[in-house]
């Protein structure tokens, strides 16, 4: 399989780099999903599906302890994989195209304190209409969020102690190809603190969903049938709730 990849990097100054990358790759579709795609007469659903992508970006070191990278990207799949939660497998779908932007920044505020943030936004669409079998036809890719991001602060080199505080964000996303049904996304705060003993043992405590946010970590749209409902079932929203405030203790040895 021919998979050319390459990058060009231009150093404009000691603190600024501009780069361009492009490449071709493949992913293997689930055989069952390919058979389903063939039965629905979808185009571009081979067993080995190629993809091509390009990106251009700039890296800037604003200060010795502050740097950022901004990237514009595009990727095209001959066959988009979509997860089927009812069957528990991926299904091969129509070709797709994604365009987006990504920003990453790191600030070493002090020797023992580091801040990191990232944000990405993308425009994801099928190259042709897709029918999910529930009366929704369109080009939106289900479960493809418009934006994602995270922010974190880390305590390092603080004697035997280490800690981190982070916020994770998942933006809204379509559940149907026509964008008629959408998931709202969510955001949550997590933290961890650790202590390393001279013997090599380490004790860590993790706090998850600190604010006990009530949201859905995942949402899907598909047909199911409950007792008393028609044999053909009813299309409905299915959710996996975000786990409530939880604590985890870990003891390990490096």
């Amino acid at each position: 399989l021919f998979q050319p990849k390459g990058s060009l990097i231009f150093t404009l100054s000691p603190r600024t780099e501009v780069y361009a990358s492009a490449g071709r790759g493949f992913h293997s579709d689930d055989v069952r999903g390919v058979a389903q795609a063939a039965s629905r007469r979808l185009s571009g659903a081979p067993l080995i599906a190629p993809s091509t992508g390009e990106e251009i970006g700039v890296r800037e070191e604003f200060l010795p302890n502050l740097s950022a990278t901004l990237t514009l990207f595009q990727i095209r799949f001959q066959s988009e994989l979509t997860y089927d939660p009812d069957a528990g497998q991926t299904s091969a779908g129509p070709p797709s195209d994604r365009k987006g932007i990504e920003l990453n920044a790191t600030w070493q505020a002090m020797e023992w304190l580091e801040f990191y943030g990232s944000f990405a936004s993308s425009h994801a669409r099928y190259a042709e209409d897709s029918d999910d079998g529930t009366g929704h036809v369109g080009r939106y890719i289900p479960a493809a969020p418009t934006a994602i991001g995270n922010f974190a602060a880390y305590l390092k080199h603080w004697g035997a102690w280490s800690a981190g505080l982070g916020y994770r964000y998942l933006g809204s996303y379509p559940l149907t190809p026509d964008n008629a049904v959408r998931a709202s996304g969510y955001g949550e705060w997590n933290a961890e603190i650790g202590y390393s003993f001279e013997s090599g043992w380490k004790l860590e405590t993790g706090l998850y969903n600190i604010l006990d946010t009530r949201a859905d970590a995942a949402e899907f749209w598909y047909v199911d049938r409950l007792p008393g409902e028609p044999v053909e079932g009813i299309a409905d929203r299915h959710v996996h709730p975000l786990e409530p405030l939880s604590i985890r203790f870990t003891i390990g040895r490096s």
Side-chain angles (χ1 to χ4, degrees):
L1 299 178
F2 186 54
Q3 302 181 65
K5 297 177 176 66
S7 298
L8 292 175
I9 302 174
F10 302 92
T11 302
L12 304 182
S13 73
R15 293 186 175 183
T16 305
E17 283 186 350
V18 176
Y19 69 91
S21 302
R24 176 181 171 90
F26 297 84
H27 70 254
S28 58
D29 287 337
D30 189 301
V31 175
R32 296 166 295 178
V34 172
Q36 292 172 3
S39 68
R40 300 200 306 271
R41 300 182 182 276
L42 292 175
S43 65
L47 185 59
I48 302 296
S51 63
T52 56
E54 306 86 31
E55 66 177 28
I56 57 173
V58 57
R59 303 185 185 96
E60 180 70 26
E61 185 177 321
F62 299 97
L63 299 170
N65 60 348
L66 176 61
S67 60
T69 301
L70 179 65
T71 304
L72 299 176
F73 65 87
Q74 175 176 281
I75 185 167
R76 295 170 298 280
F77 291 99
Q78 183 178 343
S79 173
E80 176 76 27
L81 287 179
T82 301
Y83 180 66
D84 183 345
D86 189 31
Q89 67 186 47
T90 56
S91 298
S96 66
D97 181 79
R98 297 169 186 264
K99 301 180 180 68
I101 184 171
E102 182 175 348
L103 174 64
N104 295 275
T106 302
W107 179 31
Q108 191 71 41
M110 300 180 183
E111 182 181 357
W112 50 271
L113 179 61
E114 177 183 302
F115 293 97
Y116 172 79
S118 67
F119 176 81
S121 179
S122 66
H123 180 273
R125 297 290 188 272
Y126 288 123
E128 59 189 55
D129 286 347
S130 175
D131 187 346
D132 68 354
T134 67
H136 296 276
V137 181
R139 298 198 175 191
Y140 285 81
I141 301 176
T146 303
I148 59 174
N150 75 289
F151 168 80
Y154 303 103
L155 294 180
K156 302 178 178 180
H157 313 297
W158 206 32
W161 292 93
S162 62
L165 175 66
Y167 177 76
R168 183 173 61 179
Y169 170 75
L170 173 67
S172 63
Y173 52 94
L175 296 180
T176 58
D178 59 358
N179 199 34
V181 184
R182 293 185 62 86
S184 57
Y186 70 94
E188 69 169 336
W189 286 92
N190 304 305
E192 62 179 21
I193 185 170
Y195 185 85
S196 299
F197 298 92
E198 293 183 359
S199 60
W201 289 91
K202 186 174 183 178
L203 175 64
E204 293 181 324
T205 301
L207 295 174
Y208 303 96
N209 195 3
I210 298 174
L211 300 182
D212 199 24
T213 300
R214 302 304 174 94
D216 295 318
E219 297 186 43
F220 305 97
W221 177 268
Y222 60 91
V223 175
D224 67 358
R225 184 173 66 86
L226 298 176
E229 293 182 343
V231 175
E232 62 272 17
I234 297 177
D236 199 2
R237 184 191 301 263
H238 301 75
V239 303
H240 178 79
L242 185 66
E243 294 189 6
L245 171 64
S246 57
I247 303 176
R248 182 176 67 191
F249 299 98
T250 304
I251 298 177
R253 184 180 178 88
S254 60

